[in-house]
Amino acid sequence: MDDRQIIELYEQRSETAIAETARKYGRLCRSIASRILRHRGDAEACVNDTWLRAWNAIPPQRPVNLAAFLSKITRNLALNMLERETAEKRGSGQVPLLLDELAACLPAGGDAAQLEENLDLTDLLNRFLGAQPLRTRQVFLRRYWYCDSIREIAQMFRMGESQVKMILLRARGELRQLMQKEEII
Amino acid sequence: MKKPMQLLRSLGQVDDTYITEAAAPGAQSLCRGWLRWGVPAACLVLVVAVGIPLLSAGAKRLPLSDGSRNVQVRYADQVPAGSVSVESLLEWLSEDELLTRWNPAMVRGTVRRIRNLEIRFGTTTTHRALAEIAVETVYRGEIQPDTVIRVLLPCPIGTGIWVEDTEIVTQMQAGMAGIFILIDYDEQAIWQQNNGTLKLSDIAGFGLADGRRFAFLETTDGLVFARHDYPSLAGATDLDAVEQFLLESIGNN
């Protein structure tokens, strides 16, 4: 079933909308949630919440890109859940590593960096991503959006882990430069 | 909220196109059945028409064989900007794969002329360009030097319309020297869309797989090519360096 048909099911308030969504995007959303949360039960709860959020959002929303729409919901829910849980209690997969890496984009003492509270960096990040070559952009998002491990990324792109690390290192450096240039940090 | 987490959160809201692009890099080799030929297809930048623009009245129509049906191709003087949207399906390929993936032809030559095309499949219109290249050197492929070949480009040229992943080919101009890595359009090379079929060899002998990675151009600003995709050519400043690299690569394969 294509996305247009699935969205029509939501608009008709058909109960099969969620079943069709789960059939088509369940694996994708579980993959995103499990990379952030690691605990299987939490990841499943996240995915189920995603379907409920989608049900409540469509209509009036009519996503142009249903995969991205659902992925964003799942990722956000997973990060919310992660923040509520302590790392020692549940185990938190790649996220602590990702946060350490992203802290390098900020001045020394990353947590205390003077990022304006609630500042929306999305526009800057879109411009940063748009300026990157395709492969760099994909590697960067596989790491910091999809929360893949270095090893998984290396296998996906058929490159060495050191090459993945180098791509990410350079990309983070460029992001930091852009943030400095625009006086975000 | 701690600042790295703030950054991680903001990343979550980036453009949907980037998220989808990274969703399954390996799966992006699927060209959705629109283009097929006898070897696995690399992905192209597809220019998809939105709306129903009219065919250029009076524009010269290209003759097509019986292998093409329910399709018309004309030279286009103008490409309506508002009628174009883009999907980029570039598959990531290593440097070695870019040179060997589908046994491409490789030539050095000079662009003689570029003309935009209007291709109409039923009620759907899309736009490409046709480049005539005078071949000077053949590195690989069954092409004769000192002949002129026709190469189908993945986007219209000189229209001012930005098309994702075509930043190299859109710089092509008549009189420009370059090296080109080409797909040979054999009898099986067809483009199907909206119940129409275009036999690609009806309009061109060759094509570029995408608008970024298969052309090396000598522009007034120097050598331009997809430098990130060819690490071995990181320091290349002229076509001779590219030529040397290709000859070495062909020799190794």
Side-chain angles (χ1 to χ4, degrees), chain B residues 179-247:
Chain B
I179 290 177
F180 307 93
I181 300 175
L182 305 168
I183 297 175
D184 189 338
Y185 287 160
D186 60 18
E187 292 295 301
Q188 282 76 47
I190 59 173
W191 178 358
Q192 291 183 314
Q193 183 171 333
N194 197 26
N195 295 320
T197 299
L198 174 62
K199 188 177 172 186
L200 291 169
S201 57
D202 283 351
I203 60 174
F206 303 89
L208 286 178
D210 66 49
R212 205 183 79 206
R213 299 178 293 181
F214 300 96
F216 303 78
L217 304 175
E218 205 163 68
T219 74
T220 53
D221 295 323
L223 181 69
V224 295
F225 65 101
R227 207 168 282 267
H228 280 97
D229 292 289
Y230 294 93
S232 299
L233 288 171
T237 57
D238 55 38
L239 288 177
D240 289 340
V242 177
E243 179 175 281
Q244 183 66 28
F245 162 71
L246 290 181
L247 289 172

Side-chain angles (χ1 to χ4, degrees), chain B residues 5 13 17 26 59 61 90 99-100 116 121 148 158 170 188 246 249:
Chain B
M5 179 57 86
Q13 302 307 314
T17 307
R61 188 168 157 179
L90 283 189
L99 303 180
T100 60
N116 289 323
F121 293 95
V148 177
T170 48
Q188 282 76 47
L246 290 181
S249 299

Side-chain angles (χ1 to χ4, degrees), chain B residues 92-129:
Chain B
W92 181 80
L93 297 170
S94 69
E95 183 178 86
D96 187 56
E97 286 172 328
L98 289 169
L99 303 180
T100 60
R101 181 70 178 262
W102 57 94
N103 198 29
M106 300 179 190
V107 303
R108 181 170 181 168
T110 303
V111 180
R112 287 263 294 266
R113 181 167 62 167
I114 300 174
R115 289 190 283 184
N116 289 323
L117 298 177
E118 188 177 76
I119 303 172
R120 187 161 190 167
F121 293 95
T123 57
T124 302
T125 301
T126 189
H127 294 86
R128 295 289 186 97

Side-chain angles (χ1 to χ4, degrees), chain B residues 20-32:
Chain B
T20 307
E21 182 184 75
Q28 287 175 1
S29 63
L30 295 175
C31 286
R32 305 187 182 179

